[in-house]
Structures are given as structure tokens and as C-alpha cells.
Amino acid sequence: MQQIIFIVLTGIVSFFAYKKFSQIYRNIMLGKSSDMSGDAAQRWQNVIYVAFGQKKMFKNWIPAIFHLFIYVAFLFTQVELIEIIIDGVFGVHRFFAPFLGGLYTLIISSIEVLSLLALVATFVFLYRRNLLRVPRLVKSELNGWPKLDANLILIGELLLVTGIFTMNGADSVLQGIDPTHYPDTGRFAISSWFGPAIFGGMEPESLMFVERFGWWLHLLVVLGFISYLPYSKHLHIFLAFPNVYFSKLTPRGEMENMPEIMNEVKSILGMESDTSATSGGEMPEFGSKDVFDLSWKNILNAYSCTECGRCSADCPANLTGKKLSPRKIMMDIRDRATEIGNNIASGDLKYAKTKDNTDIKTLTADNYDDGKSLFDYISREELHACTTCNACVEACPILIDPLEPILKMRRYEILTESAGPGDWVPMFTAMENGGCVWQMPVEREAWRAEV
Amino acid sequence: MTIKTMAEATAEGIEVEVLFWVGCAGSFDARAQKVTKAFSQLLDKAGVPFAILGNEEACTGDPARRAGNEFIFQMLALQNINTLNMYRVKKIVTACPHCFNTLKNEYPALGGNYEVVHHTQFLQGLLNDGKLKVEGGTFKGKKITYHDSCYLGRINGEYEAPRDLLTNLEADLVEMKRCKTTGLCCGAGGAQMFKEDELGDKRINIERAEEALSTNANIVAANCPFCITMITDGMKAKDKQDDVMVMDISEMILQSVK
């Protein structure tokens, strides 16, 4: 009976998780193709140091250590999860124990020690978020769902660790009562003394129930996690790795070139240009108005964001009270991509562009138009406050680049809409007419006469 | 001293080692002009044959590009590259980290490939090669804090050359809490220099000036004309302009050179 429930439940969860994760993949791919040039060896090096090694986390020791506890505990617990799946499908108990012997004791003991450390870390994180109220963890963009999301994950973590210790603790007592069904696993680091202390003296039937309760709790939390992840900032546990791999390798100070404009300007200046790359008369849209005009890497960045807010804590605009928050930019891009993805998945033709094409049969990313854009999420005031100082880029532990989409949206505003801050108009005019940021009455080289 | 333009140097057949890219601020802003002059004098003292583009130089296009105006950026950049390539320029030194970044990192994609150094890096080289010699006297015992500009520091990874120069002055170098990779912006980058601030609680340059003041430094050493403007304004707002000087590192070297 337990086997059937296990298989059906795991199957259903896997099916829906697969559907949901494919949808996230499609949402990311709403973006444009992106330059992947650069050394693959450098990319792998980043994955090893920054993703696996958490190198950038350690700029801030306290959260880094506690995060490391949870991270390593998570990685190690996967071993136990494999056993749970085998046990669940075949109706066996602690499948690996007889094969591994002393090594099994060591592995499970390590998991127990790590789980305990993760438990401590979870309490520390709940404390930092809800009582200590670390500024970056209580900023306004976290109000509502993001705040609840963060706490739900931590509570899930508590349940998971409770499950592990209940299961192992009851098991250690049962090993003394019924060695045929509960074979000796050796003494686990924590549950071997914790189990007897809590569950010692209980009836065998109650103990078996407690053991099963722990086992199922562990499993249900894991299945819950898998179903929940696609809706949560916690997606970073998977996406951080590809995100780091695909991160920008070109110089930090280099903004992506726009060959269409370069060639256009070259032909205006009478220089030799690659005319195939020009816009060919029709006025195209430049910059980014919506997620379709971002690169898929920008959207991957957005889905990888853990909302830790290190970017916003270091942002000079944000810390002097301006509306700009690099974290919010990433959250907005993600939410907009999700909105579009869900609308497209609904197939409802009210989201189709009717202007140029009246006989649309199916809704796709190409004919999508819901009358909204990223500018409905991100205000111009936010975009205009950026100093391009790269503090946010530097701060992100998983190499997210919040600056690139900001600059792409500025490009849209200036190049496509001819809008933007009025203060910039005299600067543009001076640059265009006099080749200088200020309109100057004297010659550029006048100073040299005074040396 | 006479400072030659590339056109003059070429006409006279003078071999130039390095082009000094002056930039808009260095050419026109009264405060930044002093830095331009100081650095020129240092080049002269070190016997470095250099020239400027003079009236043939235009803005690199950095603020236009970061504001989002790629057309103006391309227009200026392509013209500059045309000029630089015409004079077969190989090496460029500049006292502006924004020009430095654009020339170094953005011109290559448009066909401009040069060895670009920031003036603090160049001065470090001159000191290391013994072409310039400084003595500690002028700033000995003075408390100096160094402000990392974003475009030299965090964006181009140069934290040591400016600090190395300051160490040569035997001054007492104190770091602000936010320095090097976490150095706080002065508030000017991304074309903010040319517009009013967005609504907020405080101006960024005030925040930075306060941080510099908290070190009790007598001098804030900088490497960027816009940082100098912003921090000087911050000091004025705190009524500290008479107590704390904001100087470019090249000016400090010039005052200490033997």
C-alpha cells in the first residue's frame, strides 16, 4: 500500500514539476539569442569557484557560513534521498545499509551533523529576517509574497530536518527491539543518543508509526519543495549553476555594441560599412521595451535571483533613498516573463496582436501583445537613477548583471521613444554639435597656452 | 613648456611615445584643467615625448552611451577612432577613468585598438623606472584617504597603482569603510553628472563626503575629474571645504617631485 502511494505521489509531482520547469525554460527563451563568445575553460572555472565554491558569498562571512551549512547539507542529503526513493519503490528498508556497512554509518552521520548545522542556520536566518531585520532583507520590494516565500522555505527546512531526525531517532530505538526488520546501521552521530532519549520506552507499534511519520514527512517536504520551487526565489539552487556558467566574460566596462547603429553612423560619416547589418530604411526599435527585447541570459539572471539584496544594499542610488533597487529590477523582469509565459500558455487570443494580423489562429511569442511592457513594472525614475557604478554587479554572489537590462531600457527610451531626462538634452546637443559634453565658447586646446 | 598636438608633432617629424587623452573635463572644467596641467608637467619632467589631439579630440561618447544614446556615442567614437588611426596612435594615457574605460574596452569593437593606461598607472611606471623621483616631505604625516573611482577600480580592477603612488608620498593612508571592490560611487557616473538627482533622501556625493570625513583625513585623493567635482561639492555642503582638500593624485605627485 505504502509503495503504491509512494509511486503515484512521486509520479504526479514529477509530472507537474516537469511541466512547470519546462514552462520556466520557455519563459527564459522568450529572450533574444545572446553572445556566448569566450573561453569555456573560464566558464567552468567560474562554476567551480563561484557556484560550487561560493567564493563571492564569503565577502560577507556570517551569512556565508550559515548558507554554506544549508548548501552542503542539501547536497549531502541527496544521497539519503536516493535511498528513500529505492526504499519507497521496492518497499525495502534502508537499502544501502547492508552494502555499505561502516561507510553507511559515516554517510548518514555526516548528513545528521550537517542537518543539525542547517537547523542552526535556519534559525539564524529566520532571526535575521524577522527579528534582527537586516536592512536588505526588509526593503519594500519584499513586501507580500517575497517575504512569505523566504519564510516558507525556512519553515520547510525546519520540517525536513525534523523528518530526518524523527526517522533516524525512532529507527535507532527499533534496532534494539526488532533487529530483523530494523538491521543494525551502526551508531549515527546524533540520532543514536537523541533517539533513545526522546523515543526510548515507547511501544514498538508507536515507534514504527513515528519512524514512518519521519520518513513520510521527509519525503513529502522534498516533493513539496520540488512542486514549490518553480514559484519561488529558491529556484536559485538549480539555476545558479547555469547562470554562473553563462555569465558575461567580456570586460565589465564594455557595453554591448549595437552593430546596426554603428553601420548606420558609418554610412552617414561616409565610412566603409557592412550594409547588411543596417536597418534598411525602416525605423527599427532599439533597446528593450519588454522581455522579448532582452537576451535570454538577462531572463535567466532574473529567474536565478534569490532576492538576497546584496546588490541593492551596495547600490549608491538605493542607499541614498532613490527608488532604484537592482534587486527589484531582476524581480520585475522575472514577474513580467512569468506573466507573459502564463498568458501564452493560456492560448487566449485576447493577448494576440491584432494590429498587423487579424487572422491569428494561435497565440505565440511573436504575435503576443497584451498592451503592457516592462515599463509597467519598472519606472523611468528607477532607470534614471543608475550611476552605472557596477556595485550591484560586483555584489551578486551568482554573477547576475542587473545593470545590463537597465541600460537596455535606457536605450529604448532614448533611441526608440526619443524620451528620457530633459536634463540630458543639452548634453546630447553639445556632444553632437561640439564634440564635448558642455557647450563651450573656447577651443578644446586653449588650456595648453597656460601651462 | 609647450605642449604639441599630434598634428604639430607629425608635421615636425617628432616621434611621440604616448598620446595624452585630455577629455572634456580635463580640457574645459577649471578644476580638472589643473590636473591636466599637473600631469603634463610630470610628463615633461620625466622626459616623456607626448602630444595631445587638441581640437581634433572629441568626447569619447561615454556619457551618451550610458544615457542610452548609441547614435551620438557611435558618431563621436567613430570620428575619434578615425583620428587616432590616422596618427597611428599606439599608446594612450588619460587622467579620466571614463575616457580610459571607453577607449580601452569599447573602442576595440568599433575598430580602435590601442594600449590604454590610466595616468595613475603611467605615473607608477615612471616612478618604478626612476624617471620621476618623489620625496615624502610635502605630505609626510598628512592623513590621506583614497577614493576609488568606479571606472578605474571596480570596473577595471585597478586598485593598487594609485595606492602605490600615495605610499611613495610617505603619507598616512587611511581607508574608508567602503573601498576597493565596494568603493562607493561619487554619484556622477552613467551621465548622472549632467542631470539632477532623482528623488531621494540624500545626494550620493554627500554620503561619500561624510564617509571621507569620518576618517579625519586632511586630503581626499582621487583619480577622476568627476569624482573631484562631486566630492568637493559634498565637502562644501558639509562646510568642510577649508579643512579637507580634494586632490588628484597627479597633483600630489607634482608637489612632491624632486
Side-chain angles (χ1 to χ4, degrees):
Chain A
M1 183 60 194
Q2 278 198 35
Q3 269 168 277
I4 294 165
I5 298 173
F6 177 89
I7 292 167
V8 170
L9 203 61
T10 311
I12 291 171
V13 168
S14 305
F15 173 74
F16 282 105
Y18 172 76
K19 271 192 73 173
K20 204 62 208 168
F21 280 105
S22 331
Q23 201 182 348
I24 286 172
Y25 176 78
R26 284 198 302 274
N27 293 351
I28 291 169
M29 289 304 149
L30 289 172
K32 285 182 177 172
S33 64
S34 179
D35 177 33
M36 275 291 298
S37 60
D39 188 7
Q42 179 62 50
R43 296 190 181 281
W44 283 112
Q45 199 180 331
N46 285 346
V47 171
I48 290 164
Y49 285 102
V50 179
F52 280 103
Q54 317 243 307
K55 187 178 152 198
K56 290 191 83 184
M57 283 293 283
F58 279 88
K59 287 195 286 188
N60 195 349
W61 276 84
I62 295 174
I65 292 282
F66 290 112
H67 180 268
L68 189 72
F69 289 165
I70 297 186
Y71 163 65
V72 179
F74 171 79
L75 285 184
F76 261 70
T77 316
Q78 302 318 307
V79 180
E80 199 176 32
L81 190 63
I82 295 170
E83 188 184 45
I84 285 189
I85 292 171
I86 295 172
D87 287 356
V89 172
F90 298 105
V92 290
H93 184 70
R94 295 199 181 259
F95 176 75
F96 288 142
F99 296 103
L100 300 175
L103 184 63
Y104 185 81
T105 316
L106 182 71
I107 291 172
I108 304 293
S109 290
S110 312
I111 291 173
E112 288 200 346
V113 172
L114 288 165
S115 299
L116 185 69
L117 291 173
L119 186 71
V120 173
T122 308
F123 280 117
V124 170
F125 285 164
L126 279 167
Y127 169 74
R128 283 168 62 86
R129 221 168 250 284
N130 299 294
L131 297 172
L132 187 64
R133 296 176 67 79
V134 173
R136 66 178 164 88
L137 302 177
V138 294
K139 281 185 193 286
S140 61
E141 66 260 25
L142 296 184
N143 289 344
W145 168 245
K147 186 185 157 131
L148 180 64
D149 180 23
N151 282 323
L152 282 176
I153 290 153
L154 291 171
I155 292 164
E157 188 74 37
L158 290 182
L159 289 175
L160 188 74
V161 176
T162 309
I164 291 175
F165 282 122
T166 310
M167 168 177 106
N168 288 355
D171 201 83
S172 71
V173 181
L174 281 165
Q175 284 175 27
I177 300 171
D178 182 6
T180 24
H181 291 104
Y182 296 92
D184 182 23
T185 55
R187 291 176 63 82
F188 294 147
I190 292 166
S191 59
S192 62
W193 57 265
F194 161 89
I198 304 278
F199 306 118
M202 276 170 74
E203 292 298 312
E205 261 106 80
S206 326
L207 272 172
M208 281 159 77
F209 177 79
V210 170
E211 196 276 337
R212 282 295 89 188
F213 175 78
W215 191 88
W216 277 102
L217 180 64
H218 186 164
L219 180 75
L220 288 174
V221 174
V222 170
L223 294 179
F225 239 67
I226 294 169
S227 324
Y228 179 69
L229 275 180
Y231 303 93
S232 166
K233 67 163 191 141
H234 231 58
L235 210 46
H236 82 285
I237 62 171
F238 298 134
L239 292 188
F241 297 91
N243 191 68
V244 165
Y245 180 85
F246 291 120
S247 65
K248 175 174 166 168
L249 294 184
T250 49
R252 200 177 257 185
E254 183 188 0
M255 275 177 72
E256 205 181 354
N257 196 29
M258 299 179 78
E260 325 90 290
I261 295 186
M262 180 176 74
N263 290 312
E264 198 90 43
V265 173
K266 274 185 176 174
S267 68
I268 294 168
L269 294 175
M271 294 162 80
E272 221 175 285
S273 69
D274 175 9
T275 43
S276 65
T278 54
S279 52
E282 190 194 341
M283 186 65 189
E285 290 202 346
F286 294 116
S288 301
K289 178 193 187 184
D290 213 333
V291 292
F292 303 109
D293 319 311
L294 295 171
S295 74
W296 62 264
K297 280 198 215 175
N298 297 138
I299 309 174
L300 173 62
N301 274 186
Y303 276 103
S304 307
C305 176
T306 322
E307 302 171 7
C308 75
R310 283 170 176 77
C311 51
S312 298
D314 282 356
C315 171
N318 190 272
L319 60 87
T320 53
K322 277 88 179 170
K323 260 178 94 181
L324 174 63
S325 165
R327 166 172 56 189
K328 180 181 168 289
I329 301 282
M330 301 322 293
M331 292 165 72
D332 287 340
I333 293 171
R334 177 198 59 202
D335 293 348
R336 174 64 180 155
T338 303
E339 180 186 35
I340 293 174
N342 289 345
N343 289 345
I344 292 178
S346 79
D348 192 332
L349 285 177
K350 75 177 176 195
Y351 299 118
K353 197 184 291 175
T354 47
K355 203 173 70 187
D356 333 304
N357 197 347
T358 44
D359 50 0
I360 291 168
K361 297 281 185 293
T362 42
L363 182 66
T364 64
D366 295 322
N367 60 35
Y368 184 87
D369 184 10
D370 62 0
K372 283 163 65 177
S373 77
L374 255 185
F375 283 90
D376 293 299
Y377 286 73
I378 301 168
S379 70
R380 285 153 207 271
E381 191 180 334
E382 292 164 66
L383 299 173
H384 298 165
C386 176
T387 70
T388 71
C389 77
N390 275 266
C392 53
V393 178
E394 174 69 37
C396 182
I398 57 165
L399 308 185
I400 291 172
D401 181 354
L403 178 57
E404 194 174 281
I406 294 175
L407 292 173
K408 284 179 177 174
M409 290 183 76
R410 278 190 180 181
R411 279 176 166 171
Y412 180 83
E413 199 183 22
I414 299 278
L415 298 169
T416 306
E417 296 184 312
S418 301
D423 289 346
W424 278 343
V425 176
M427 173 185 82
F428 292 148
T429 313
M431 288 172 98
E432 207 170 352
N433 297 337
C436 173
V437 288
W438 302 288
Q439 200 88 49
M440 298 305 293
V442 290
E443 284 195 321
R444 198 171 179 94
E445 62 188 46
W447 63 271
R448 70 174 172 147
E450 301 156 15
V451 184
Chain B
M1 65 181 285
T2 47
I3 293 164
K4 294 205 184 305
T5 60
M6 282 305 284
E8 290 162 354
T10 311
E12 292 167 32
I14 299 167
E15 200 60 38
V16 166
E17 184 191 314
V18 65
L19 171 81
F20 174 22
W21 186 276
V22 184
C24 297
S27 300
F28 294 112
D29 178 83
R31 177 67 189 88
Q33 270 182 359
K34 290 184 184 164
V35 178
T36 306
K37 290 169 189 168
F39 183 61
S40 304
Q41 281 172 281
L42 286 170
L43 289 174
D44 190 50
K45 278 186 201 293
V48 179
F50 75 99
I52 58 170
L53 281 181
N55 293 339
E56 287 185 283
E57 182 189 284
C59 171
T60 59
D62 158 81
R65 185 171 235 197
R66 271 145 194 87
N69 200 326
E70 187 74 3
F71 270 104
I72 290 179
F73 166 75
Q74 293 285 349
M75 235 179 65
L76 294 170
L78 289 168
Q79 287 177 42
N80 280 328
I81 290 167
N82 223 3
T83 312
L84 290 165
N85 290 351
M86 180 180 78
Y87 289 118
R88 295 198 172 77
V89 170
K90 303 236 158 19
K91 187 169 180 178
I92 304 176
V93 62
T94 176
C96 171
H98 293 267
C99 297
F100 167 72
N101 178 69
T102 300
L103 292 166
K104 183 177 192 280
N105 295 321
E106 298 193 320
Y107 278 20
L110 280 69
N113 293 285
Y114 321 102
E115 183 194 347
V116 186
V117 289
H118 186 252
H119 74 316
T120 55
Q121 298 170 322
F122 198 82
L123 287 172
Q124 186 191 32
L126 292 179
L127 254 64
N128 288 347
D129 296 347
K131 290 183 179 162
L132 279 181
K133 287 193 170 59
V134 294
E135 46 196 25
T138 323
F139 298 99
K140 206 168 181 173
K142 283 253 167 47
K143 230 179 188 184
I144 297 176
T145 191
Y146 170 67
H147 166 80
D148 288 280
S149 67
C150 305
Y151 276 78
L152 184 65
R154 192 163 37 241
I155 293 169
N156 283 288
E158 182 59 86
Y159 305 108
E160 291 317 315
R163 286 180 169 80
D164 190 40
L165 290 174
L166 291 170
T167 314
N168 275 298
L169 302 177
E170 293 176 36
D172 177 11
L173 188 62
V174 280
E175 293 288 358
M176 287 181 263
K177 189 163 171 269
R178 288 172 285 199
C179 65
K180 299 186 180 173
T181 56
T182 52
L184 181 70
C185 177
C186 71
Q192 293 296 330
M193 180 76 191
F194 308 98
K195 64 185 266 298
E196 284 302 317
D197 284 13
E198 300 305 312
L199 218 63
D201 308 328
K202 200 187 222 176
R203 300 198 60 189
I204 296 168
N205 60 335
I206 307 263
E207 171 82 12
R208 190 52 163 172
E210 285 172 354
E211 190 172 7
L213 285 171
S214 72
T215 65
N216 291 315
N218 314 99
I219 297 169
V220 180
N223 65 56
C224 168
F226 301 107
C227 297
I228 291 176
T229 305
M230 287 307 240
I231 297 172
T232 307
D233 284 353
M235 290 299 170
K236 281 180 195 156
K238 305 297 291 182
D239 206 19
K240 291 284 179 197
Q241 69 273 28
D242 300 329
D243 307 326
V244 182
M245 293 221 284
V246 185
M247 297 179 81
D248 187 86
I249 295 178
S250 63
E251 296 177 298
M252 301 171 70
I253 298 288
L254 184 64
Q255 286 187 24
S256 314
V257 91
K258 262 194 226 174

